[in-house]
Amino acid sequence: MEFHRIDLEQYPRKEHYWHYRQAVPCTYSMTVTLDMTHMLQKIKEKGFPFYPVIIYGISRVVNAHQEFRMALDELGRLGYYDVVHPNYTIFHPKTETFSSLWTPYQENLSAFLRQYQENLVRYGDQPTAFSPMPDIPNQFFISCIPWVSFTEFHLNIQHGYNHFAPIFTIGKYQRSGEKILLPLAVQVHHAACDGFHTARLTNELQAWADYFSLPE
């Protein structure tokens, strides 16, 4: 993990950054509907689980863009990590609670899925909200609400204006004709990215799902 400081004098979004940090500090959320028809067909053929595969897909597009790897250092200075890792929720039906785990992002899907499964076996049954895995600063966050399909989802984070890591919330997918559609909410800091950047991320995630293929 390496944190790279950004020279704000050379930063193309310098004015935007200060505007959304000082004048109008704000986050925003965007909910999109993704077509998962092709991807779900492919993983069903091989018996792969959906959740870790979509976690990988989100991680892939997040790590492709600097604006979604941004953070503030201990002195409040802007920078970005060379890689960020997904922190995701695991539901416990007996207690109706969840735990948060994280898996190191790897470009190789098979390697990522193996590590995800190892973490699930080792930490998935922990009853606490946060697993005993070591905490790391270069994380972003994914949660899943597989019981309901939504058209909007918003998080209200107290003192959240220093939080730059994106937060993704996955809903229940549903059929629409021959298509299988998935709601996905994305919450970001406006100082880090604009609507263009979030739209590009979700469009790239859709393209990944459209052309998804599993390793042999």
Side-chain angles (χ1 to χ4, degrees):
M1 176 197 72
E2 188 172 352
F3 185 77
H4 306 270
R5 285 270 313 281
I6 290 176
D7 181 357
L8 286 174
E9 293 306 313
Q10 303 300 320
Y11 183 40
R13 292 188 70 256
K14 173 186 175 181
E15 292 183 5
H16 307 74
Y17 172 76
W18 285 122
H19 180 72
Y20 291 118
R21 281 286 289 160
Q22 295 182 338
V24 188
C26 69
T27 64
Y28 70 90
S29 58
M30 179 185 297
T31 301
V32 298
T33 301
L34 299 174
D35 184 349
M36 294 283 108
T37 311
H38 172 77
M39 194 197 84
L40 284 168
Q41 179 183 353
K42 289 296 181 181
I43 66 174
K44 185 178 180 181
E45 291 173 358
K46 295 288 186 71
F48 275 61
F50 171 75
Y51 191 37
V53 174
I54 194 65
I55 290 173
Y56 167 84
I58 294 171
S59 303
R60 186 174 181 271
V61 293
V62 164
N63 276 286
H65 299 290
Q66 175 181 302
E67 59 267 15
F68 296 106
R69 293 181 274 119
M70 286 187 171
L72 301 175
D73 68 9
E74 64 279 1
L75 297 179
R77 297 172 298 190
L78 182 66
Y80 63 94
Y81 294 106
D82 52 355
V83 62
V84 290
H85 307 293
N87 180 306
Y88 48 88
T89 56
I90 299 296
F91 185 67
H92 306 301
K94 288 185 177 180
T95 59
E96 298 182 348
T97 60
F98 69 88
S99 296
S100 293
L101 308 182
W102 64 271
T103 294
Y105 171 67
Q106 302 176 65
E107 289 187 10
N108 183 278
L109 173 59
S110 295
F112 178 84
L113 294 179
R114 282 195 298 270
Q115 185 64 64
Y116 170 92
Q117 187 60 35
E118 289 177 11
N119 289 351
L120 193 62
V121 170
R122 186 173 181 182
Y123 301 110
D125 289 334
Q126 297 289 334
T128 57
F130 304 99
S131 77
M133 299 177 68
D135 192 24
I136 58 172
N138 55 326
Q139 300 182 64
F140 70 97
F141 302 91
I142 299 174
S143 63
C144 187
I145 309 174
W147 308 278
V148 65
S149 184
F150 50 76
T151 56
E152 290 187 45
F153 184 91
H154 306 281
L155 290 168
N156 303 300
I157 305 174
Q158 186 179 22
H159 309 304
Y161 295 131
N162 289 328
H163 182 92
F164 278 52
I167 304 173
F168 297 85
T169 306
I170 302 166
K172 178 182 179 181
Y173 55 77
Q174 59 182 351
R175 291 189 177 275
S176 178
E178 296 184 355
K179 294 184 177 181
I180 302 175
L181 305 178
L182 180 79
L184 177 71
V186 187
Q187 180 140 332
V188 293
H189 200 304
H190 211 335
C193 59
D194 302 316
F196 164 80
H197 304 97
T198 306
R200 178 172 62 186
L201 179 142
T202 56
N203 288 339
E204 290 183 0
L205 182 59
Q206 179 64 72
W208 168 80
D210 288 342
Y211 295 98
F212 178 80
S213 61
L214 284 166
E216 296 298 329

